Amino acid sequence: MRLDDRNWAIQNFPPLGSVVLLEQLRTSAVDFMSFYACASYVFLQENTPMRTNAEYLLLKKIGLRRQRKKRGICLSESGLCALEELVSVCCDGCPVILLCGPCDIGKSTFSRILINRLLNSLPAVDYLECDLGQTEFTPPGCVALLNITEPLLGPPFTHPRRPQKMAYYGKMSCHNDYENYIEIVKYVFRDYRRESPLIINTMGWVKEDGLLLLVDLIRLLCPNYVVQLSGRNKTMSALTSEYVELTDGLYTKSKIKRRHRGFEIQEFGDSLEFTDEEKDSCPVPAFTGHKLIDVHSEFLCDKNEKNRAKYNKIFRDLAVLGYLSQLMPPVPGPLTPLHSLTPYQVPFNAVALRITHADVAPSHILYAVNASWVGLCKIVDDMKGYTRGPILLAQNPICDCLGFGICRGIDMDQRLYHILTPLPPEELKAVNCLLVGAIPIPHCIFKKQPGPEGTIPYVTTDYNFKLPGASEKIGDREYEHASLGFKSYKRK
């Protein structure tokens, strides 16, 4: 700044004023994501309005644009009161706070504001991610426990974090596989030590089975506070402590039915509750009730029933690209294409394989793994003693996920998987299991790699859906891979 400008700023600076320092966002992650069509427009300004003025031109130089007040992030009176109460109780202890509400009501925005407020007074905040489709710190399809020590100043793809505990569920929704989802939540939650306040983010599916599953989670995780966000049209009942006690979940029974075991369906019983051993290590006591905080949400959202799937896919692609950007050098420079990076070579007999979302014939397992997004996991089983491989698991394991990668090729002669991953070699040594789920690799990764000309590997319109495990009945998976093919299809 010029000396005159500095003097003016000092003379006119109010006692309670603030200074905002704006810098150009130039990082290797931004450069990497800007290269791909599915993400580049995120970093571009909107179209120039019909009428401009000197203020607009000045702000545009530093990447700002004046918006109408109603388009800002505004907290309602109930939201401000909730923040004040939660910050107060967190400064005096380590409560467990569960956020719930329908899709696009503002749970993620509220949680970011709450975390930032808490970090003004506390060194750290713990966060349990239970929303598979719209994760905050990891690629989609994960249940993760994280310790947050820095403020969150952007959308999820701008602040990926390394979880202290993570499990890979492998799908963007837990439809038709609720029991495995709850077991994974239990597995991850056991690592919470109640040394910091815990914020739990839940899915926006709060109708029918989704509401019953939420009741199960509240009983299982025993929050001290349940923050329920709602809009003008309330789509769910108030989740008071009394409501949770008297309502059957999907797998847990109400207080009334627990008193009369003769009427309880024995199919599940208490199988999804913590075992005695788990209770000993669990930092949270048995469910004794919670305080409900009702927040009226006034956050604006451009998503609706017609475009929600499109927007959610964009956010998931950005999360995957943000994770892959860690493959780039930390200092911004010339972009290194993914196909030019040297992959890790992983022997067939060093890792077990499992396709988590569909039954695939053993003879076609490698077709499904090739050119797929894989979870790099660690199971308790020892892989020693296997001479050839591939080693196939009979069921989905519940285990630690250390990171993710792309299986960019399979060498049948040398019996090796070629894996691209930002996971460092010292951590990759602990990986002994590859999990392939229904999380797709963004199309732009395949279609826009600089360098090669002619036919693009893994992209084809000639795909055989008659292969076992390759039919459209696979479910929510949007894209199918083959060793020589990649094709998108719409669900019927």
Side-chain angles (χ1 to χ4, degrees), residues 167-237:
Y168 187 44
Y169 183 80
K171 293 193 292 185
M172 297 165 282
S173 165
C174 63
H175 285 278
N176 303 321
D177 193 14
Y178 312 123
E179 187 172 353
N180 190 42
Y181 169 73
I182 292 183
E183 288 295 340
I184 286 179
V185 172
K186 284 174 54 179
Y187 177 78
V188 174
F189 179 65
R190 285 203 298 266
D191 259 39
Y192 173 55
R193 294 294 170 247
R194 208 177 183 108
E195 296 172 352
S196 303
L198 175 66
I199 298 175
I200 303 171
N201 184 40
T202 60
M203 296 181 289
W205 179 37
V206 293
K207 295 182 179 179
E208 301 173 349
D209 285 353
L211 178 60
L212 303 182
L213 187 63
L214 181 57
V215 170
D216 286 332
L217 286 179
I218 293 175
R219 288 206 184 109
L220 178 71
L221 303 177
C222 309
N224 304 104
Y225 294 85
V226 171
V227 180
Q228 184 172 346
L229 285 84
S230 58
R232 294 180 181 178
N233 302 318
K234 291 194 175 183
T235 58
M236 58 188 297
S237 303

Side-chain angles (χ1 to χ4, degrees), residues 21-131:
L21 175 64
L22 300 174
E23 294 181 309
Q24 185 178 11
L25 186 61
R26 180 73 195 278
T27 66
S28 57
V30 171
D31 289 347
F32 177 81
M33 299 178 71
S34 300
F35 176 78
Y36 293 100
C38 60
S40 59
Y41 64 90
V42 173
F43 303 100
L44 300 177
Q45 291 194 28
E46 298 178 6
N47 296 331
T48 303
M50 296 295 294
R51 296 179 181 179
T52 62
N53 53 29
E55 181 191 65
Y56 169 81
L57 297 175
L58 182 62
L59 292 177
K60 184 179 179 181
K61 293 180 181 179
I62 54 175
L64 293 181
R65 180 175 180 179
R66 181 181 291 275
Q67 293 282 8
R68 295 179 181 179
K69 185 176 180 180
K70 66 179 183 179
R71 292 188 60 84
I73 299 178
C74 300
L75 278 172
S76 63
E77 189 65 31
S78 59
L80 291 171
C81 292
L83 282 175
E84 184 177 351
E85 179 177 356
L86 293 173
V87 170
S88 175
V89 297
C90 288
C91 289
D92 295 331
C94 296
V96 177
I97 304 165
L98 183 142
L99 305 181
C100 63
C103 293
D104 307 318
I105 200 66
K107 295 187 297 297
S108 296
T109 303
F110 185 87
S111 69
R112 289 184 206 122
I113 296 173
L114 176 57
I115 288 172
N116 290 344
R117 291 281 185 94
L118 291 175
L119 290 178
N120 287 331
S121 307
L122 302 173
V125 178
D126 287 330
Y127 185 91
L128 179 63
E129 180 63 82
C130 297
D131 187 349

